[in-house]
Amino acid sequence: MPFEKGGPKGVHGEVDFYTSHEGLMLDYEEALTRTFALPSALQQHQISNVPLIPGLQGEQISSLDGGSSRLQNSSATADQARTKQGFTGFYNTSAHFLWIGDRTRQLDGAHIEYFRGIRNPIGAKVGPSMRADELLKLVEILNPDREPGRLTLITRYGAGKIEEHLPGHIAAVQQSGVPVIWVCDPMHGNTLTSASGLKTRNFSTIVSEVTSCLRIHSECNSKLNGVSLEFTGELSDDGFSVTECLGGSMELSEDELELRYQSFCDPRLNFEQSLDLAFLLSNHFKKERRGHSKADRHANLEAAFSSRR
């Protein structure tokens, strides 16, 4: 008997385990979309002018798991449905959290239309091609009810472009009044090709974007809430870390990339490089909690990262 029905906890019940991925292939995502009753907290959050199933208008709302219910656009019918069944919504069951990529976030595109209709927490990549007025419209479409925790913005500019774009994007979101979670992706805007033709990233540019992001958010009275990294603890057969990104405490050079380059897609920080970054960020936020001044925190973080470049 499963734990949810009164049975003992299995090995998977000992930890909270969450999954996420980019919602790229819509045929796949739609096939794994189902209707479920909304949690009570979300039912209380609903407002009168929001469709029973968010993202859909019209007379018929069809569930994607085989059933369908015909709901007329009248308050009486809606009230009856709420009384009998409670609020329901579409959930993507392929992951807990999905995000829209920087290349598929067109305001009138199919990805935005799909994402605005599901009740999962969702994210959107924000790159240098995103205009401030476009971002303002995007957050209004994806989080019209201003629901805290609903929408995450994952910025990925590149170390050389973040100063130009992030302040304006923060200002646009603040102007909208839509609550968002800000996450920095310092990986995808900092990819380069080595002399040998391998796709790689430099630890110094990765940490440069992170430190700039922290400082800019602070200067704009905003808050960076997380960092999105591609990393691995994978070891080779002889016990050594992969060699896919340059620099870090290992001082990995281009000549050493081919030693243990194992990725079939994007280059990842290895065990040592990811710990370098994690501990430096941990120390930064520890000082923040202890009341160190902003100037001191950012200066110390820059100095600490510089010593590892």
Side-chain angles (χ1 to χ4, degrees):
M1 180 182 294
F3 173 72
E4 292 79 5
K5 295 185 178 180
K9 278 190 176 182
V11 64
H12 295 296
E14 299 297 324
V15 295
D16 292 326
F17 186 79
Y18 299 96
T19 62
S20 66
H21 63 249
E22 178 183 353
L24 180 61
M25 306 299 292
L26 290 184
D27 288 344
Y28 172 80
E29 305 301 346
E30 289 171 353
L32 291 171
T33 304
R34 303 287 187 271
T35 53
F36 294 103
L38 296 180
S40 57
L42 285 181
Q43 293 185 25
Q44 295 169 6
H45 186 78
Q46 297 299 302
I47 56 179
S48 58
N49 63 345
V50 176
L52 193 62
I53 297 181
L56 293 182
Q57 303 283 353
E59 293 187 351
Q60 182 170 346
I61 299 177
S62 300
S63 69
L64 298 185
D65 56 357
S68 66
S69 59
R70 190 168 291 275
L71 299 175
Q72 304 298 324
N73 283 334
S74 68
S75 59
T77 305
D79 288 341
Q80 290 173 6
R82 291 187 181 100
T83 301
K84 292 180 180 179
Q85 300 175 350
F87 286 94
T88 59
F90 285 136
Y91 283 85
N92 183 303
T93 62
S94 70
H96 296 90
F97 176 90
L98 296 98
W99 72 85
I100 308 166
D102 194 42
R103 297 177 181 87
T104 55
R105 52 162 178 73
Q106 293 77 20
L107 296 179
D108 59 352
H111 288 78
I112 296 296
E113 179 64 17
Y114 172 78
F115 270 75
R116 78 183 185 91
I118 60 173
R119 294 302 310 164
N120 304 60
I122 58 174
K125 287 289 183 86
V126 178
S129 62
M130 173 82 81
R131 302 189 315 273
D133 63 323
E134 185 183 8
L135 179 58
L136 194 151
K137 294 176 182 177
L138 180 70
V139 298
E140 292 280 5
I141 292 171
L142 293 178
N143 194 11
D145 299 338
R146 288 161 167 71
E147 179 186 332
R150 157 73 173 168
L151 178 60
T152 297
L153 296 181
I154 310 166
T155 60
R156 38 92 72 223
Y157 306 105
K161 298 180 179 180
I162 186 171
E163 299 277 356
E164 178 184 355
H165 298 284
L166 180 57
H169 286 161
I170 293 174
V173 173
Q174 290 173 334
Q175 176 188 343
S176 74
V178 176
V180 304
I181 297 168
W182 288 100
V183 169
C184 173
D185 169 7
M187 308 295 290
H188 287 88
N190 294 304
T191 304
L192 55 91
T193 303
S194 69
S196 61
L198 288 173
K199 189 177 181 181
T200 188
R201 293 158 174 155
N202 198 307
F203 186 79
S204 65
T205 54
I206 291 170
V207 298
S208 175
E209 182 159 358
V210 173
T211 54
S212 295
C213 197
L214 282 164
R215 174 178 50 77
I216 293 169
H217 273 286
S218 179
E219 292 170 352
C220 295
N221 295 316
S222 180
K223 181 87 172 176
L224 179 64
N225 304 113
V227 178
S228 173
L229 303 173
E230 290 183 310
F231 65 91
T232 179
E234 184 178 349
L235 300 176
S236 63
D237 293 338
D238 49 359
F240 290 97
S241 297
V242 301
T243 55
E244 297 170 3
C245 289
L246 303 169
S249 59
M250 298 178 66
E251 299 183 351
L252 194 69
S253 67
E254 281 200 27
D255 294 339
E256 297 170 304
L257 286 177
E258 296 185 28
L259 292 176
R260 290 175 295 279
Y261 196 103
Q262 299 181 11
S263 176
F264 291 102
C265 187
D266 289 337
R268 305 159 294 177
L269 296 172
N270 63 24
F271 178 80
E272 291 81 5
Q273 292 165 333
S274 56
L275 283 181
D276 287 342
L277 189 53
F279 279 116
L280 288 166
L281 284 170
S282 174
N283 289 334
H284 170 80
F285 289 113
K286 183 190 298 182
K287 291 174 181 176
E288 181 180 62
R289 291 194 302 272
R290 292 179 176 176
H292 290 235
S293 70
K294 291 181 180 179
D296 287 343
R297 291 200 309 270
H298 293 308
N300 291 337
L301 188 62
E302 287 280 4
F305 275 135
S306 296
S307 69
R308 286 163 172 77
R309 293 175 187 175

